[in-house]
Amino acid sequence: MNRKVSVAPMMDCTDRHERFFLRLISKNVLLYTEMVVDQAINRGNKKKLLAFNINEKPVALQLGGSSPKLLAEAAKVGEDFGYDEINLNLGCPSRKVEKNKFGACLMKEPNLVAECLSKIQSKIKLPVTIKTRIGYDDIEDYESLHNFISILKQTGINTFIIHARKAMLGKFTPKQNLNIPPLKYEYVYKLKKDFPDEEIIINGGIKSVEEIKLHLKKTDGVMIGRAAYYTPYLLADIEKEIFKNDEVPSRQNVIEKLIPYVKEELKKGTRLNQIMRHTLGLFHGQTGSSHWKRYLSENMCVREADVKKIDHIMDNIKYTNIQARVG
Ligand SMILES: Cc1cc2nc3c(=O)[nH]c(=O)nc-3n(C[C@H](O)[C@H](O)[C@H](O)COP(=O)(O)O)c2cc1C
């Protein structure tokens, strides 16, 4: 699996519609689902939670949980649905998550995590990976991180995605936890030096192709979160400059290709805003961008959007482009 550049799991963002949209821009990035809790899969509506469009592939399913049995069961369901990788969330710091004992608080229990990873691997053939932070609360020394990774490595997993800031458990809001603890990329670089045979993926605050290129000199892959969501056309530059693929669609082509998908989804009962809200940032940095955002916000990103509006969307793109040219 090519993990050179991936788009991070993001709750309320990387749902199947966002992934379909991003895949229209980039053939090569690896996409992750939002975190799905093991119990939700085992007890809930599996199809609603896990079904996805084949064109989204490759897609990794991120699980949350801390019971080896429940996680392994959920991972097997994920494998049967056709996902390409199972990732365990060891980095989410929210209070709700901590109460249910999954996410970053599991960094306190490396042996339990190792048990989970062994059990998952015994049940499925897919690659199993983890996503974690560099530390938590006042445990922020490199040795603790090194020790954590050493224990997990013994289970046989060999891909580690590291968000290069610590988590403040129960103290910060999720948003603060994404911004306040300082990024320490050198921890991730050192992990790669100390574990040269493992695949080490770096994450946190990476926003441009130039930055990606620098990180790729010292790690095996880069995971992009917010920049991919808010400025999705960044993936076109990644496609060209990192994957050396010159055949990237224009922004207009992306919407043209999205329309048949939207129409199919509307027939199945998906609401227009559930898809179109993900495209707000498509024209980011272009002169027509504010027109596009306003058009979407007023017409399509409302709960009961008029589905016929989709038939006029290309006129609006043309207008957006004209605005860009005259502006
Ligand atoms: C809205 C949002 C939701 C997130 N949800 C998840 C999640 O479900 N699982 C996870 O491991 N990380 C989650 N994260 C963290 C991201 O995966 C990523 O580690 C973080 O945003 C740092 O990368 P960035 O600076 O490139 O955004 C979320 C981040 C955001 C902004």
Side-chain angles (χ1 to χ4, degrees):
M1 177 111 56
N2 188 341
R3 298 190 184 83
K4 214 168 179 184
V5 184
S6 53
V7 176
M10 286 179 282
M11 283 288 200
D12 296 325
C13 297
T14 51
D15 61 16
R16 62 193 179 89
H17 305 307
E18 160 77 352
R19 299 192 307 262
F20 187 92
F21 165 64
L22 292 182
R23 183 60 76 215
L24 293 176
I25 308 174
S26 166
K27 285 201 178 90
N28 288 294
V29 295
L30 172 61
L31 300 173
Y32 281 76
T33 66
E34 309 161 90
M35 178 184 77
V36 191
V37 176
D38 54 6
Q39 284 280 49
I41 296 176
N42 298 337
R43 290 191 188 158
N45 182 338
K46 298 178 177 45
K47 196 165 167 231
K48 190 160 175 242
L49 288 166
L50 297 181
F52 65 95
N53 187 300
I54 188 95
N55 294 315
E56 293 167 37
K57 276 167 88 68
V59 186
L61 169 63
Q62 187 186 58
L63 295 178
S66 58
S67 149
K69 182 171 173 288
L70 297 178
L71 277 170
E73 259 171 58
K76 179 74 182 101
V77 178
E79 182 172 66
D80 294 343
F81 265 83
Y83 285 94
D84 298 285
E85 169 187 318
I86 299 295
N87 175 269
L88 182 60
N89 182 338
L90 305 172
C92 183
S94 94
R95 280 193 188 95
K96 197 169 140 213
V97 165
E98 194 183 353
K99 210 172 88 213
N100 295 309
K101 210 165 140 186
F102 45 78
C105 64
L106 289 172
M107 292 187 80
K108 295 178 187 168
E109 300 189 54
N111 294 328
L112 173 61
V113 176
E115 223 183 292
C116 292
L117 293 171
S118 299
K119 187 80 181 170
I120 297 172
Q121 289 174 97
S122 72
K123 273 275 172 83
I124 61 171
K125 294 187 191 71
L126 291 179
V128 178
T129 66
I130 61 109
K131 176 168 179 282
T132 191
R133 299 255 184 162
I134 55 171
Y136 60 94
D137 298 340
D138 45 9
I139 310 296
E140 50 184 318
D141 54 297
Y142 175 77
E143 285 61 41
S144 300
L145 176 65
H146 184 281
N147 184 43
F148 185 58
I149 300 299
S150 305
I151 295 172
L152 306 193
K153 177 177 138 24
Q154 282 164 24
T155 69
I157 67 159
N158 48 28
T159 301
F160 302 89
I161 304 165
I162 317 284
H163 180 180
R165 50 164 69 88
K166 70 171 177 174
M168 295 296 282
L169 300 172
K171 294 192 185 87
F172 286 174
T173 63
K175 195 167 175 201
Q176 287 173 320
N177 257 311
L178 288 171
N179 295 303
I180 298 179
L183 286 161
K184 295 189 176 167
Y185 293 136
E186 61 285 2
Y187 276 38
V188 188
Y189 299 156
K190 187 151 168 47
L191 275 185
K192 181 62 206 171
K193 274 202 180 132
D194 292 346
F195 298 96
D197 299 332
E198 312 308 314
E199 189 177 34
I200 306 288
I201 314 285
I202 193 164
N203 167 245
I206 303 164
K207 297 189 192 72
S208 69
V209 170
E210 288 64 40
E211 288 167 18
I212 294 173
K213 284 181 179 164
L214 290 176
H215 289 298
L216 285 177
K217 289 188 180 149
K218 296 182 177 170
T219 60
D220 301 299
V222 174
M223 175 179 266
I224 316 279
R226 287 161 289 182
Y229 192 74
Y230 295 109
T231 57
Y233 205 69
L234 168 66
L235 296 194
D237 295 335
I238 291 173
E239 199 61 25
K240 278 189 258 180
E241 296 198 36
I242 308 291
F243 294 106
K244 308 292 173 205
N245 170 17
D246 284 329
E247 287 174 21
V248 293
S250 66
R251 292 172 172 87
Q252 180 164 336
N253 289 155
V254 172
I255 296 298
E256 266 162 4
K257 289 188 184 162
L258 190 62
I259 292 174
Y261 173 80
V262 172
K263 290 188 172 170
E264 273 309 302
E265 283 294 324
L266 291 176
K267 281 190 217 150
K268 294 184 207 157
T270 302
R271 290 192 312 274
L272 193 52
N273 70 322
Q274 288 177 301
I275 305 174
M276 296 312 290
R277 69 187 183 101
H278 297 306
T279 69
L280 277 165
L282 182 63
F283 289 86
H284 179 89
Q286 305 282 295
T287 317
S289 170
S290 53
H291 169 76
W292 174 250
K293 279 193 192 149
R294 198 168 47 248
Y295 174 72
L296 283 186
S297 306
E298 288 169 3
N299 294 284
M300 295 193 178
C301 295
V302 287
R303 203 179 147 83
E304 298 309 331
D306 177 359
V307 295
K308 291 196 199 79
K309 299 263 172 153
I310 197 71
D311 290 326
H312 304 293
I313 197 166
M314 289 319 292
D315 298 338
N316 266 281
I317 299 250
K318 279 176 204 133
Y319 184 72
T320 300
N321 283 337
I322 292 165
Q323 291 286 299
R325 274 200 295 275
V326 294

